[in-house]
């Protein structure tokens, strides 16, 4: 992000996983050394007390962020925690014409997906698997260096004890949290990018 977006003055990363923070610290070592990036261990469930969690990480006051990014994290927490994260993000972001944006890049279920609806999805497994394999083969031709998720891996993720929602449910929850405009900018197979202001 800091290498692709001009004008980034400060980038603060939170993760609950110590291993992920260690990987990020290695990858972002130059940005951390220059003071551009800071990494902290934190749990989404503690963000209800965000003035304490966020405000105490550094003696330097935090300006309102231009953006809040949640990448591959929210599927790990139940809807009640997601709603709290959306509310905290809305309160942190400026609410004006130059207001900040919440970006959510995560796994989502197909339209009508619920954990209980998994049996119906299993009935479509042969067709969905064929579509997935076709899309994966096409993507591999376009970019042979990428490691694309297989359909079997996708099924394994569906069976994980995750809290997958469909995109529409997330858009509604963002509206309840106070975002004026939330939309899905990208949606392919089980990945989607949602932007909310």
């Amino acid at each position: 992000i800091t290498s692709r977006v001009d004008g980034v003055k400060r980038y603060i990363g939170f993760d609950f996983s110590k291993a992920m923070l260690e990987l990020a610290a290695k990858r972002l070592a130059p940005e951390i050394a220059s003071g551009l990036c800071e990494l902290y261990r934190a749990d989404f469930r503690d963000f209800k007390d965000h003035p304490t969690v966020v405000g105490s990480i550094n003696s330097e006051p935090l300006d309102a962020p231009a953006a809040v990014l949640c990448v591959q994290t929210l599927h790990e927490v139940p809807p009640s925690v997601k709603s709290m994260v959306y509310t905290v993000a809305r309160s942190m972001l400026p609410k004006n014409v130059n207001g900040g944006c919440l970006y959510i890049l995560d796994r989502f279920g197909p339209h009508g997906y619920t954990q209980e609806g998994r049996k119906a999805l299993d009935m479509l497994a042969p067709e969905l698997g064929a579509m997935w394999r076709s899309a994966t083969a096409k993507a591999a031709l376009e970019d042979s260096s990428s490691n694309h998720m297989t359909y079997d891996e996708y099924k394994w993720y569906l069976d994980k004890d995750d809290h997958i929602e469909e995109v529409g449910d997330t858009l509604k929850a963002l509206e309840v949290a106070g975002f004026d405009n939330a939309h899905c900018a990208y949606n392919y197979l089980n990945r989607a990018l949602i932007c909310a202001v």
Side-chain angles (χ1 to χ4, degrees):
I1 291 171
T2 56
S3 64
R4 296 183 181 193
V5 179
D6 291 333
V8 174
K9 296 177 185 172
R10 195 171 180 195
Y11 183 90
I12 302 172
F14 295 97
D15 204 304
F16 180 69
S17 165
K18 190 175 178 182
M20 292 301 288
L21 286 169
E22 288 171 358
L23 287 170
K26 287 178 186 174
R27 185 176 179 188
L28 298 169
E31 289 88 349
I32 292 170
S34 72
L36 180 63
C37 178
E38 300 166 36
L39 299 175
Y40 298 94
R41 189 166 188 211
D43 190 325
F44 270 147
R45 292 168 293 189
D46 296 331
F47 272 52
K48 64 184 179 299
D49 303 317
H50 71 93
T52 303
V53 172
V54 178
S56 66
I57 61 177
N58 196 314
S59 57
E60 185 180 333
L62 292 175
D63 295 328
V68 172
L69 291 81
C70 294
V71 180
Q72 288 294 105
T73 54
L74 292 172
H75 66 269
E76 302 279 359
V77 296
S80 60
V81 175
K82 290 178 192 176
S83 295
M84 184 262 302
V85 169
Y86 304 153
T87 301
V88 169
R90 175 65 277 165
S91 70
M92 292 173 68
L93 292 164
K95 194 166 186 177
N96 54 44
V97 292
N98 298 316
C101 187
L102 169 63
Y103 297 95
I104 301 168
L105 178 62
D106 216 320
R107 295 188 3 245
F108 289 88
H111 179 67
Y113 177 84
T114 62
Q115 296 291 348
E116 295 78 25
R118 175 62 204 275
K119 288 182 183 177
L121 191 62
D122 283 340
M123 290 171 50
L124 296 173
E127 292 82 5
L128 184 58
M131 289 171 49
W132 192 287
R133 285 185 283 278
S134 174
T136 301
K138 181 180 177 189
L141 287 174
E142 294 172 0
D143 182 5
S144 61
S145 65
S146 291
N147 185 14
H148 301 282
M149 181 186 287
T150 67
Y151 181 65
D152 288 336
E153 289 171 324
Y154 170 67
K155 288 196 302 183
W156 180 84
Y157 277 111
L158 276 182
D159 287 333
K160 266 182 72 188
D161 187 22
D162 283 344
H163 303 273
I164 306 295
E165 295 181 332
E166 65 175 88
V167 168
D169 291 335
T170 299
L171 296 177
K172 287 176 192 168
L174 289 165
E175 184 179 334
V176 169
F179 286 93
D180 296 325
N181 183 7
H183 67 280
C184 182
Y186 171 87
N187 191 355
Y188 185 68
L189 296 176
N190 68 334
R191 292 289 188 277
L193 171 64
I194 293 177
C195 309
V197 292

